[in-house]
Amino acid sequence: MPANKKLLVLPGDGIGPEVMGEVRRIIDWMAHRRAVSFDIEEGLVGGAAIDATGSPCPDATLDAARRVDAVLFGSVGGPKWDSLPFEQRPELGILRLRKELGLFANLRPAIVMEALADASALRAELVKGLDIMIVRESTGGIYFGEPRGIHMDAQGKRVGIDTEVYSEDEIARVARVAFDLARGRRNKVTSVEKANVMQSGRLWRAVVGEVHKAEYADVELENMYADNCAMQLASRPKQFDVILGSNLFGDVLSDLAAALTGSLGMLPSATLGAVQPSGKRHALYEPIHGSAPDIAGKGVANPCAQMLSLAMLLRISFGMEEDAKLIETAIERVLNSGFRTADIMQPGRARVGTSVMGEAIVRELEKLAA
Ligand code: NAD
């Protein structure tokens, strides 16, 4: 008998525990109906961890994260901890996890389900059926490069400095993530940079091209300037499959892509580390939304982004494509049936709370698996 997959669940703060509760429903359903079970540990992170241990990411959480096959993260933060000094804030919990696990590739799908196409910032016909994946390098580039800071120049005027630095290895490893993903999708990578005006951009284009030629010649590669990509995303987004970019460009473009889908409560994400010699790869999955303190405790949060994060985890970390698809299809069907949480409410639909949405999705899973 193969050992069970090990999963660390970190609900965190605000709506994190509420939406994670609905995910646990799906996990329980999978254990009963699909005979799939995981070894699940639950840990503390964020404000909840500060209250219990004084640290936003206690060593016990970090140790568990290193041991398991994948981490499912909720969200952290809230007004209770807003007055703490920066080094002690709940948000440091996720940053420590990303750093210590070496999670360098951030994956953000932007998918528009048919039922929600009207919620997009673009006309429905431009986004209906949209399914793109943005791969953002997330541990290097201008957010970390040295020198950085605000200095005085010789005239006593302040000068702000950030430095975009990328080594060829950093570029190559994230490019491989993008090419690997493309192979399981529509086989196209659009790599974005500003090779026309930035030296790091010239290197980016060259290294991505080399990796492509040596290892992924079967995948279509397109190079595009980041500003053009922003324009194309806002006008003809369906031309893209996988978009690969640096920390800075990936950050901006993934938020733009999120606006195309129109709903924070529907968007999952993943952050992956390097494949280790054992074949294992650290990975953390989380919704892109935060802890939503304005609605926490009211039972109205949309659990779909957290559930879709589980689907991503099953697909990418556990290779369980069929189960991932089941969850996605169940969510889509519940939306088609007219159920909406407040954040995605539309005229003529039925407004429901977190747990009614969760129950409806499990009922749909039951039908799909029958
Ligand atoms: P947020 O994403 O928490 O909320 C923005 C808005 O979207 C709010 O009106 C909220 O009610 C709504 N919203 C978010 N998720 C929703 C859901 N699932 N269902 C329905 N509505 C939803 O962003 P914010 O308000 O800027 O930040 C709140 C806290 O979350 C802050 O402390 C911030 O630092 C933290 N945060 C944490 C993460 C993380 O844990 N990775 C990410 C972003 C923000």
Side-chain angles (χ1 to χ4, degrees):
M1 279 281 284
N4 274 349
K5 303 275 190 202
K6 295 189 184 63
L7 186 60
L8 175 66
V9 172
L10 300 174
D13 309 315
I15 61 168
E18 298 172 40
V19 292
M20 198 68 89
E22 300 310 311
V23 167
R24 294 299 286 258
R25 250 193 239 270
I26 294 186
I27 291 175
D28 289 347
W29 177 84
M30 287 176 72
H32 286 122
R33 297 285 285 130
R34 310 239 340 133
V36 185
S37 59
F38 309 108
D39 289 340
I40 299 182
E41 285 184 58
E42 187 158 322
L44 288 168
V45 75
I50 293 174
D51 290 350
T53 70
S55 161
C57 181
D59 290 344
T61 298
L62 195 55
D63 291 345
R66 287 202 179 97
R67 265 196 320 270
V68 297
D69 298 302
V71 179
L72 187 64
F73 187 94
S75 50
V76 292
K80 183 176 176 191
W81 306 280
D82 276 353
S83 54
L84 289 174
F86 180 75
E87 325 72 67
Q88 294 166 25
R89 297 279 298 265
E91 291 78 2
L92 269 284
I94 180 76
L95 295 183
R96 184 170 186 216
L97 279 167
R98 285 190 191 136
K99 180 163 179 275
E100 298 288 331
L101 299 178
L103 305 175
F104 64 86
N106 181 231
L107 278 49
R108 282 197 21 190
I111 294 173
V112 174
M113 293 190 177
E114 180 111 15
L116 298 181
D118 290 336
S120 170
L122 294 188
R123 288 196 310 278
E125 72 262 23
L126 289 176
V127 294
K128 221 171 240 179
L130 182 76
D131 177 2
I132 57 188
M133 176 71 85
I134 305 216
V135 178
R136 163 188 173 191
E137 199 291 326
S138 57
T139 52
I142 200 160
Y143 296 158
F144 299 96
E146 296 285 347
R148 58 195 283 109
I150 298 175
H151 306 298
M152 286 292 178
D153 68 9
Q155 284 76 44
K157 297 283 185 193
R158 287 168 300 166
V159 180
I161 303 174
D162 296 284
T163 307
E164 171 89 338
V165 190
Y166 271 115
S167 71
E168 59 177 291
D169 289 351
E170 281 177 301
I171 300 168
R173 67 179 183 173
V174 75
R176 288 191 184 97
V177 172
F179 285 126
D180 282 337
L181 281 165
R183 276 185 177 153
R185 296 170 49 94
R186 297 187 301 282
N187 217 33
K188 177 177 170 189
V189 171
T190 303
S191 172
V192 304
E193 25 59 13
K194 291 281 288 176
N196 48 345
V197 287
M198 292 171 72
Q199 296 302 327
S200 55
R202 282 180 56 204
L203 182 70
W204 185 280
R205 185 175 287 211
V207 173
V208 172
E210 287 155 18
V211 171
H212 174 249
K213 191 166 170 217
E215 301 168 43
Y216 297 94
D218 56 304
V219 180
E220 183 189 345
L221 169 65
E222 169 187 46
N223 296 298
M224 192 179 272
Y225 296 137
D227 46 349
N228 184 25
C229 182
M231 202 162 70
Q232 298 292 328
L233 263 175
S235 50
R236 285 199 312 119
K238 282 195 250 179
Q239 68 184 283
F240 296 107
D241 179 16
V242 176
I243 297 176
L244 165 68
S246 64
N247 209 340
L248 174 62
F249 293 140
D251 189 6
V252 175
L253 294 173
S254 58
D255 269 20
L256 173 54
L260 302 182
T261 72
S263 44
L264 211 52
M266 294 297 302
L267 294 172
S269 75
T271 327
L272 310 181
V275 179
Q276 297 160 8
S278 63
K280 181 171 158 171
R281 150 178 264 167
H282 287 307
L284 182 145
Y285 299 82
E286 60 180 323
I288 70 161
H289 63 69
S291 57
D294 53 332
I295 56 165
K298 296 184 178 159
V300 298
N302 185 348
C304 292
Q306 190 77 63
M307 292 172 162
L308 291 168
S309 303
L310 173 69
M312 263 188 111
L313 182 157
L314 296 176
R315 173 176 291 123
I316 296 174
S317 281
F318 296 173
M320 296 168 64
E321 175 64 33
E322 195 184 332
D323 296 80
K325 199 80 210 141
L326 268 183
I327 295 171
E328 291 161 354
T329 309
I331 290 174
E332 188 148 24
R333 287 200 181 181
V334 169
L335 294 175
N336 287 342
S337 77
F339 275 27
R340 297 283 188 280
T341 43
D343 57 312
I344 51 172
M345 185 58 193
Q346 292 165 307
R349 308 292 181 209
R351 185 176 178 142
V352 299
T354 311
S355 58
V356 172
M357 192 71 166
E359 282 159 17
I361 290 165
V362 171
R363 263 201 312 278
E364 206 54 52
L365 280 170
E366 190 66 35
K367 281 191 223 158
L368 283 166

